[in-house]
Amino acid sequence: MHNPDPTQSPRATRDLTAGEVLAPYLHARAADFLRGLRQHGESGADTSGADEAAGTLRAAARRISGSLHTFRPLLDTAWADQLRTELAWLSGTLAQEQACTSRLVRLMDALNRLAGGPGPVPAARGSESAGLTVGAARAGALLERQLTLARTRAHSAALQALGSSRFHALADAVALLASEVPLGPAGAAPAPEVLDASASVARRRLLDAVDALPLSRAAHPYNAEALALAGENQDAPWHHTRLLLRLHRYATEVTALGSEPDAPLYEAARALDRHRDAAEAAAAASAAARTPRIAPATAYALGVLHADQRHEVEAARFAFQRVWHTAAVPVP
């Protein structure tokens, strides 16, 4: 989690306008973005350095975009909406390569575990066990081909994006943001009055989304009932909650400067990240299983892998519901 500025305190913000609190936060995140851009340009052939720089760019873009969304009433709305659109484009484009890499690692690790020992999915016996061992190798090779191709395409798309005129225009806009924030009339209002009102909307949307989740069913790890009833078709509300939790966290960074990050809230966010990763890995295994003319043993291994990742989805939901009740998200 991003650490708030220790030089600011919640008490100090009481005497400031909303713009005087929000602008320094946006200036700092714009500076983070520009630092990531500089690091990316200096990375050259250093793959790890380029990946780290891309991560810095994505994190800064998400925080700027989230703040523009939550605190839109304080800003020049046309400017905020345009910049948010461009930041979402960049963040989404840069995220794809890392997502393909992480998905491949996750699936290969799971295949090795399933073929070599017991996991959350009941172990196969006899001829099924032999079939899983043979099928796992073929399934791994198929997944590696498919996800490596997707990663290569994502890498090319990211390079193309970073070299485009659209990106250079975005970088120029963020460079201006590092020194100037186009505020609307509400930016001159007292900080507690308007910042808290905007943050309260984000908090209320998060609480409503969590209330709509089947948390009672998620109260048991590896929930067979949930696996049967839910599956991929019921993942969307959890993914939506993950995005709303992110917006709430970013709003808190603005309104609670100087406060320590809420550890349970951070753990809840991590659980929803794991949920997203497992759900997308399960979908990748399912897609691979639909490849024409694959051997039965390969299809079997991919089916076991899909079931394993759906168990991981349920485990992540279980982890979320356990930590959520200790997270500091007061009702507005």
Side-chain angles (χ1 to χ4, degrees):
M1 179 180 289
H2 166 77
N3 291 321
D5 183 353
T7 64
Q8 293 266 19
S9 69
R11 179 175 297 177
T13 65
R14 297 174 186 172
D15 301 323
L16 300 175
T17 67
E20 289 172 332
V21 175
L22 179 59
Y25 179 84
L26 290 173
H27 293 330
R29 302 295 73 75
D32 292 341
F33 183 97
L34 297 174
R35 185 178 69 255
L37 179 58
R38 183 175 63 254
Q39 290 172 343
H40 195 278
E42 295 171 351
S43 61
D46 180 6
T47 304
S48 62
D51 290 344
E52 182 180 352
T56 300
L57 283 171
R58 292 199 312 272
R62 288 196 304 264
R63 281 182 163 80
I64 296 170
S65 180
S67 299
L68 297 181
H69 174 79
T70 299
F71 300 105
R72 183 176 182 270
L74 282 66
L75 301 162
D76 179 314
T77 56
W79 166 83
D81 292 345
Q82 172 66 19
L83 185 54
R84 276 183 57 217
T85 298
E86 297 305 290
L87 288 168
W89 160 73
L90 178 66
S91 182
T93 301
L94 294 182
Q96 291 306 309
E97 182 179 0
Q98 178 60 38
C100 290
T101 300
S102 298
R103 199 168 302 141
L104 179 58
V105 170
R106 182 185 188 91
L107 288 169
M108 296 303 288
D109 286 347
L111 271 177
N112 291 334
R113 170 171 50 80
L114 292 168
V121 175
R125 294 291 182 266
S127 61
E128 288 186 353
S129 178
L132 178 58
T133 301
V134 174
R138 295 175 179 173
L142 176 60
L143 287 167
E144 186 165 10
R145 286 196 303 272
Q146 292 183 345
L147 290 173
T148 298
L149 177 60
R151 181 176 61 193
T152 300
R153 289 173 174 168
H155 179 72
S156 297
L159 290 179
Q160 184 176 4
L162 291 172
S164 68
S165 58
R166 182 178 183 179
F167 173 73
H168 289 301
L170 171 59
D172 289 343
V174 175
L176 290 175
L177 180 61
S179 60
E180 179 181 355
V181 175
L183 296 167
E193 176 183 326
V194 290
L195 285 178
D196 288 351
S198 293
S200 178
V201 172
R203 186 164 60 250
R204 181 72 268 170
R205 291 180 65 202
L206 169 62
L207 293 171
D208 289 345
V210 174
D211 285 344
L213 294 176
L215 290 185
S216 61
R217 203 163 66 224
H220 306 283
Y222 309 130
N223 190 327
E225 177 191 4
L227 283 170
L229 294 177
E232 285 87 344
N233 292 335
Q234 298 300 318
D235 289 339
W238 294 84
H239 296 331
H240 183 58
T241 300
R242 173 179 170 271
L243 296 178
L244 293 178
L245 178 52
R246 175 186 289 173
L247 288 175
H248 168 69
R249 287 171 50 214
Y250 295 167
T252 301
E253 289 178 2
V254 175
T255 59
L257 291 173
S259 298
E260 289 295 322
D262 177 36
L265 198 64
Y266 180 55
E267 289 302 315
R270 289 185 61 186
L272 291 180
D273 285 345
R274 293 196 301 272
H275 177 278
R276 185 271 318 269
D277 293 344
E280 292 184 349
S286 180
R290 294 192 295 271
T291 302
R293 297 182 299 278
I294 61 174
T298 306
Y300 172 71
L302 289 169
V304 173
L305 180 60
H306 174 268
D308 173 75
Q309 291 304 299
R310 292 309 304 178
H311 274 287
E312 293 296 322
V313 166
E314 293 304 319
R317 294 180 183 182
F318 174 69
F320 173 80
Q321 69 85 26
R322 286 192 65 184
V323 74
W324 173 253
H325 298 294
T326 63
V329 186
V331 177

